[in-house]
Amino acid sequence: MPLTAPDYEYVRDLVRRSSAIVLGADKDYLVKARLTSLARLEGFGCLERFMYEVRNSTSSDLRFRVVEALTTNETSFFRDQTPFEMLRELVLPELIRARSADRTLRIWSAGCSSGQELYSVAMLLERHFPCLESWDVELLGTDLNKEMVRRARSGCYNALEVSRGLAEEYRGYVHASGRDFQVDERVRRRTRFTQLNLIDQWPDLGLFDVVLLRNVLIYFDMSSKAEVLTRVQDHLRLPGFLFLGGTETTLNVHCGFQRVQPERANCYRLQGTP
């Protein structure tokens, strides 16, 4: 059974209003595939009946599961490498100097998916910055998708996920657990994961030194990008670093950030940093 045009437009509007994610008019095949799988999981015999229930249910739970099913959750350990090189060589040394008095460091992976990005940061700190052992370090990961947050908290990954991006020098931070691999407890206890929709009202998150917002804004419309960047700006303390994905930019979107080393990773610092 095909996804009808009215149902597709309903889903596009639902996803945009709930998550700011913009589904193109040509994504109907992807939407149909994911919603067909979700319909089966929810016990519906056909997509038509499932969509009727989504549109007419008095509960918002089923509609939110539709939104979750249509979010993109692509990630890997040390994805794209260069951002982590910049963290190691430039960002973290500067922050260690800047925070030497209060000895605190807070890093936020916003849109963390299944957690590999934040665990990569934790491994990098563990291996290359032993001086932070006595610091108050908080690593926060948030994601819209509840199932992704659950996976991130578990710290459990299959062999393919471990082989993608996890260099030999970091293999000691994962251990075989049956057919899968478990992130070492020493790394896991540095991290905290929770569910958060970036376009909803944020809880009291406090201030961060680094925000990783990589490959998230690419799915948003212009006004939502600007709104999220304004909120991020308000949650960074000087010098304050922001990492975006390789195809994302603050140019013509938000004036609160200045790019660091344009020839390298998509890294920005707060405007007004000395």
Side-chain angles (χ1 to χ4, degrees):
M1 170 91 46
L3 185 68
T4 66
D7 280 344
Y8 181 55
E9 289 305 314
Y10 171 84
V11 170
R12 288 181 68 192
D13 183 63
L14 172 66
V15 171
R16 183 190 59 77
R17 287 185 288 104
S18 302
S19 69
I21 294 172
V22 178
L23 293 171
D26 61 342
K27 297 295 184 182
D28 54 332
Y29 69 95
L30 172 67
V31 172
K32 179 187 175 183
R34 293 192 181 182
L35 293 188
T36 298
S37 296
L38 180 60
R40 291 172 181 154
L41 187 64
E42 296 292 332
F44 289 86
C46 67
L47 187 56
E48 181 182 30
R49 178 60 191 169
F50 175 73
M51 286 306 306
Y52 177 86
E53 189 68 22
V54 169
R55 298 183 70 154
N56 294 281
S57 174
T58 57
S59 170
S60 62
D61 289 348
L62 191 59
R63 286 186 286 276
F64 191 73
R65 285 198 286 278
V66 167
V67 175
E68 286 188 318
L70 295 172
T71 57
T72 301
N73 300 302
E74 173 66 21
T75 188
S76 62
F77 287 103
F78 292 91
R79 185 180 182 183
D80 302 326
Q81 285 296 327
T82 307
F84 298 95
E85 292 171 3
M86 287 197 72
L87 274 171
R88 177 183 172 183
E89 297 168 10
L90 187 151
V91 172
L92 287 169
E94 180 173 337
L95 286 172
I96 288 171
R97 291 191 295 270
R99 306 289 183 250
S100 59
D102 60 25
R103 299 167 68 84
T104 63
L105 180 69
R106 301 190 73 226
I107 298 175
W108 176 21
S109 172
C112 67
S113 188
S114 46
Q116 290 97 313
E117 178 176 76
L118 195 64
Y119 284 128
S120 298
V121 173
M123 292 175 189
L124 187 150
L125 297 183
E126 186 75 19
R127 181 164 182 80
H128 298 289
F129 296 92
C131 63
L132 294 175
E133 184 64 32
S134 61
W135 283 40
D136 180 10
V137 176
E138 181 181 3
L139 305 179
L140 173 66
T142 66
D143 199 87
L144 167 72
N145 192 309
K146 181 165 57 178
E147 173 60 19
M148 290 299 104
V149 172
R150 185 200 65 77
R151 285 205 63 210
R153 287 173 177 162
S154 76
C156 188
Y157 302 99
N158 62 39
L160 177 61
E161 290 170 320
V162 168
S163 68
R164 292 180 63 201
L166 197 59
E168 189 63 35
E169 65 175 312
Y170 295 107
R171 289 296 177 93
Y173 295 116
V174 296
H175 308 295
S177 178
R179 293 185 176 181
D180 296 323
F181 291 84
Q182 181 79 53
V183 176
D184 188 85
E185 175 61 25
R186 185 177 176 87
V187 173
R188 289 176 61 201
R189 69 169 177 245
R190 284 181 174 263
T191 64
R192 178 169 67 91
F193 295 94
T194 190
Q195 190 176 15
L196 175 68
N197 187 338
L198 288 171
I199 67 163
D200 282 348
Q201 183 175 352
W202 295 3
D204 183 10
L205 297 173
L207 295 176
F208 294 91
D209 302 294
V210 179
V211 174
L212 299 150
L213 187 67
R214 302 171 62 219
N215 306 302
V216 176
L217 297 183
I218 190 174
Y219 300 105
F220 290 5
D221 59 33
M222 189 64 73
S223 63
S224 297
K225 291 178 184 179
E227 179 183 352
V228 170
L229 286 173
T230 295
R231 292 186 183 186
V232 169
Q233 180 187 31
D234 292 340
H235 283 77
L236 279 169
R237 57 174 179 164
L238 291 172
F241 292 89
L242 167 68
F243 284 87
L244 298 181
T247 61
E248 297 168 325
T249 182
T250 65
L251 185 65
N252 298 323
V253 181
H254 199 284
C255 61
F257 302 90
Q258 59 191 42
R259 188 151 182 180
V260 179
Q261 295 187 356
E263 71 280 4
R264 300 188 71 189
N266 236 354
C267 178
Y268 300 79
R269 68 170 81 230
L270 282 175
Q271 286 281 15
T273 301

